[in-house]
């Protein structure tokens, strides 16, 4: 049985998987929804912004890329800092900065203010995905993390589903600045609620030792063979050594693998490339898909809004919830992370790349829109990458590893909008240029998916990390 302490018996809400834990996850899902609503506002307001300030497509693409320029640096800095200070305070701080960034767009007078707003928003939103996963994982057992990470990713889709019609209405009826005003105020309101609700989880390395007892001595009746594997490997949910009177002495500092060892594993690099392709898709969709739909496909603002909502419904139901539940089921039945996460995730990313190319060549409006919707299946790369990294990395390195992961895939956001705008300007027509950029996007996604399919092997690389740090490795699973 797991060790019990007076604190745990008296306050069961601070145990892994408790109602309090899922309340935290729900708050983080809302934060992810606001994250994507903030980003969506810029794409939906593309036409009035371009018209008001006389921007070219490459200038607009530069403003889109500016969002991601500080992404890499802040994601790394905040990720490593969260290993020391926890995730609660950084999450509150970045939400306030989102609000400031969005409100600055309300007073925009030209490209300079737009670039400032996008840089500040990117700097503050960059660490979000790694932080929300780290925070959620500190409240949940390994068996719950696939579903939680999928729900967090689904939060982005929820933000787009709700944001698309609401922001479109605001832009059309009240001007494009109103979209930034209300998203900014919503981010600040979330921070006020987080002040009262947010806490470090019992499986965080920042939590008191007593509250981590459940994780340090897994109850096999609850976690089964999977929990026993984690306890042996010192990975996953944060178990670093067998529980007992000398538990703290049994986990000396040299037994924790360095962050460089973690990020140099083929698995880490493979899932990072898959997420790179996914983030390329997000950056292009948010910045150029509404513009493409309006000027090339001749869709109205309301039709674009419906199209966006349908796409996000598919992503939420089929990708994050459907595939997330399937992966959880496969893991529960004893299949390895290699099969249930690596193979399944890699196949989905490859399929997404094929769909993106199909979007260019499919005959007729509705087949093209169908290809665009199906392409969302590649976004499963985000929860797959987060859970695989948490499966390999010890809790003492988890935030830094997730931050590095987010920084790597964040580079796609720096390149994709600028590259897409540049290619579009070089072609004879805007439509031809965007089609060329979309074909490249599809080919890139296929390559990244194949890499993920072949090289994602969390059990193997987890054993190597444990062996290099002087510990044992997890038992094999089928």
């Amino acid at each position: 049985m797991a060790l019990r302490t007076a604190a745990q018996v008296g306050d069961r809400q601070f145990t892994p998987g408790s109602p309090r834990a899922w309340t935290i996850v729900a708050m983080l899902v809302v934060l992810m929804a606001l994250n994507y609503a903030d980003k969506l506002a810029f794409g939906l307001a593309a036409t009035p912004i371009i018209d008001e300030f006389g921007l070219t497509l490459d200038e607009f693409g530069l403003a889109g890329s500016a969002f991601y320029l500080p992404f890499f640096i802040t994601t790394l800095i905040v990720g490593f800092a969260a290993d020391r200070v926890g995730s609660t305070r950084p999450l509150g701080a970045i939400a306030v900065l989102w609000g400031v960034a969005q409100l600055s767009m309300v007073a925009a007078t030209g490209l300079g203010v737009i670039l400032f707003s996008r840089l500040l928003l990117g700097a503050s939103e960059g660490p979000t995905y790694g932080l929300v996963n780290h925070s959620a994982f500190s409240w949940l057992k390994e068996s719950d993390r696939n579903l939680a990470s999928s729900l967090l990713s689904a939060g982005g889709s929820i933000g787009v589903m709700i944001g698309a019609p609401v922001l479109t209405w605001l832009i059309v009826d009240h001007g494009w600045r109103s979209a930034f005003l209300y998203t900014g105020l919503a981010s600040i309101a979330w921070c006020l609620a987080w002040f009262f609700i947010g806490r470090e989880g019992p499986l965080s390395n920042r939590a008191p030792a007593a509250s981590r007892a459940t994780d340090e001595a897994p109850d096999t009746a609850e976690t089964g063979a999977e929990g026993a594997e984690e306890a042996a490997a010192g990975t996953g949910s944060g178990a670093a050594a067998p529980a007992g009177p000398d538990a703290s002495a049994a986990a000396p500092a040299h037994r924790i693998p360095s962050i460089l060892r973690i990020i140099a594993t083929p698995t880490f690099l493979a899932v990072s490339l898959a997420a790179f392709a996914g983030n390329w898709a997000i950056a292009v969709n948010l910045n150029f898909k509404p513009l493409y739909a309006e000027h090339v496909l001749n869709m109205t603002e309301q039709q674009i809004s419906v199209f966006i909502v349908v796409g996000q419904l598919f992503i939420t139901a089929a990708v994050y919830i459907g595939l997330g539940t399937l992966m959880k089921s496969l893991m529960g039945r004893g299949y390895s992370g290699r099969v249930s996460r690596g193979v399944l995730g890699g196949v989905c990313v490859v399929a997404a790349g094929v769909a993106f190319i199909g979007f260019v060549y499919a005959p007729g409006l509705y087949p093209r829109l169908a290809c665009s919707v199906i392409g969302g299946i590649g976004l499963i790369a985000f929860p797959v990458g987060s859970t695989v990294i948490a499966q390999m990395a010890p809790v003492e390195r988890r935030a830094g590893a997730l931050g590095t992961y987010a920084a790597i895939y964040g580079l796609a956001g720096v390149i994709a909008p600028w590259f897409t705008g540049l290619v579009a300007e070089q072609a004879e027509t805007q439509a031809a240029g965007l089609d060329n950029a979309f074909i490249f996007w599809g080919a890139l996604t296929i390559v990244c998916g194949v890499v993920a399919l072949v090289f994602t092997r969390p059990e193997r690389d987890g054993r190597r990390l444990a062996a290099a740090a002087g510990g044992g490795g997890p038992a094999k699973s089928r």
Side-chain angles (χ1 to χ4, degrees), residues 390-404:
Q391 185 180 352
M392 294 191 306
V395 67
E396 293 85 356
R397 296 283 185 264
R398 187 198 297 147
L402 289 171
T404 305

Side-chain angles (χ1 to χ4, degrees), residues 308-407:
I308 292 173
V309 170
V310 170
Q312 295 306 315
L313 281 171
F314 172 80
I315 292 170
T316 301
V319 180
Y320 293 140
I321 296 178
L323 287 175
T325 302
L326 175 59
M327 289 179 180
K328 174 181 171 65
S329 174
L330 291 174
M331 290 291 289
R333 290 167 59 189
Y335 285 89
S336 66
R338 157 73 180 150
V339 174
S340 59
R341 292 168 176 169
V343 173
L344 183 56
V347 168
C348 288
V349 175
V350 172
V354 174
F356 296 147
I357 295 176
F359 174 74
V360 175
Y361 291 108
L365 175 63
Y366 291 108
R368 296 185 73 177
L369 296 182
C371 286
S372 181
V373 170
I374 293 170
I377 197 172
L379 299 186
I380 194 63
F382 292 109
V384 165
S386 297
T387 51
V388 162
I389 290 168
Q391 185 180 352
M392 294 191 306
V395 67
E396 293 85 356
R397 296 283 185 264
R398 187 198 297 147
L402 289 171
T404 305
Y405 163 68

Side-chain angles (χ1 to χ4, degrees), residues 197-241:
I197 297 174
R199 296 291 185 275
E200 295 297 318
L203 306 186
S204 168
N205 62 322
R206 299 292 302 170
S211 67
R212 294 200 302 270
T214 16
D215 193 51
E216 290 171 351
D219 188 339
T220 55
E222 296 180 1
T223 60
E226 188 177 83
E229 290 178 5
E230 291 174 22
T235 58
S237 58

